[in-house]
Each structure stands twice: as structure tokens, then as C-alpha cells.
Amino acid sequence: METTSHTATVRLPGSKSVTARALFLAAVADGTSRLITPLEAADTVAFADGLTTLGFPVDRDGDVWSITGNPSGPPAETAVVWCHDAGTAARFLPALVSLGAGNFVIDASKQMRARPMGPLLRALRSLGVRVQSADGNRLPLRIDADGVEGGVVQVDAGASSFAPMLPPPTQA
């Protein structure tokens, strides 16, 4: 019996979730971070564009994205960040701008404006962040940043951002 050996190289697509988290970590790191083969998708590009709007140098050159971070928060003192339909950007960027000093607006599409932001807002407020939201704890958010006080914070991550926005059931 003759056996044949074959070699194949398979390139798996990157992860939107991992790429977004790596962008956040690069933004709060001191110096320049390089992401090798990040997933280039609408959500990750929206996140990277948000970092650029906040003054973080971001260079997307093919399979390598370089981000120059700042542990003290955004270099910009004022910015309006448009997150498009990117849920991770709409949830991570408010925390990031809270580290800095200045006035920031985080906004997104109509679809994103329908998603709940209450757990994030409670967590930020418990850390002394001054944040205003649209009715129902929704986007857009206005953040008057002056750093975070720090301390213990709990975030309820049990509610999915994809849960239907239905009114509560009525009592009979």
C-alpha cells in the first residue's frame, strides 16, 4: 500500500472580537503596538477609525496595523466618535475616553442606539465618570472625562446586546 503525504497551508480568518480587544489594549499601552493579520471587517475598521478620531496614531498597512497608545487616555481633548454598527467599539470606547481629559461624544447607527448600555453606564458612573446618555440609557453618550477614580466595579454582562428590545410584559 502506497501512502502519499501532502502539505497544505490554511489561513484562518481573524476574529472580530480578538481584533477589537487588541485595538483597545494597544490604545492603553505605552508605545507602539503591532497587530499582525487582524481581521479587517466593518466593525474592526470602525474601532480603528474611532481610535484615530480620538487622536491615537493608527496605521493600517495590509496585514499589519500599528497603534501608538497612551495609558492616560485619548490624545484628543474633544471628539465625536461614530461607531457605525460596531457594538464592541460602542462599549469599549466610552471606557477608553473616560481615562482622558476632555469632552467626548460616542454615537452610532440607529440599530446601535436601540441596544442597552445600562450596565456599562452604571459601571462607569460608579468609577466617578460623568456620562450622560439618551433616554433609556442608550446612545449617544456624552462624556466629560477627567480620568477615573478607580475602585471595585461590577458589570452585569448577563444581558445580551442582541436581546430584543421588547417592552416588559403587562400584569393581568
Side-chain angles (χ1 to χ4, degrees):
M1 174 178 271
E2 188 175 321
T3 59
T4 308
S5 174
H6 297 281
T7 302
T9 302
V10 178
R11 187 172 189 160
L12 298 175
S15 163
K16 177 174 65 170
S17 177
V18 169
T19 299
R21 284 157 174 76
L23 286 166
F24 179 87
L25 292 173
V28 296
D30 192 15
T32 301
S33 300
R34 293 180 342 149
L35 307 184
I36 310 298
T37 62
L39 176 65
E40 187 165 352
D43 285 10
T44 57
V45 169
F47 201 121
D49 288 347
L51 293 178
T52 300
T53 299
L54 294 169
F56 293 97
V58 177
D59 178 34
R60 296 191 319 252
D61 186 14
D63 281 350
V64 179
W65 293 7
S66 299
I67 301 92
T68 302
N70 182 359
S72 299
E77 292 180 10
T78 184
V80 176
V81 178
W82 183 253
C83 297
H84 299 273
D85 289 325
T88 305
R91 286 181 169 73
F92 283 35
L93 294 179
L96 180 61
V97 302
S98 296
L99 298 173
N103 298 298
F104 304 94
V105 174
I106 308 292
D107 202 359
S109 68
K110 182 178 178 181
Q111 173 187 339
M112 284 304 306
R113 284 182 172 193
R115 292 189 182 181
M117 299 292 281
L120 170 66
L121 297 175
R122 283 189 294 280
L124 291 174
R125 289 174 179 143
S126 76
L127 295 171
V129 176
R130 292 181 305 275
V131 57
Q132 297 175 342
S133 64
D135 288 344
N137 286 326
R138 310 239 185 244
L139 293 169
L141 306 179
R142 286 172 176 52
I143 300 169
D144 182 19
D146 191 23
V148 254
E149 292 174 4
V152 176
V153 65
Q154 288 185 326
V155 179
D156 178 2
S160 169
S161 63
F162 298 104
M165 303 297 126
L166 300 175
T170 57
Q171 297 282 330

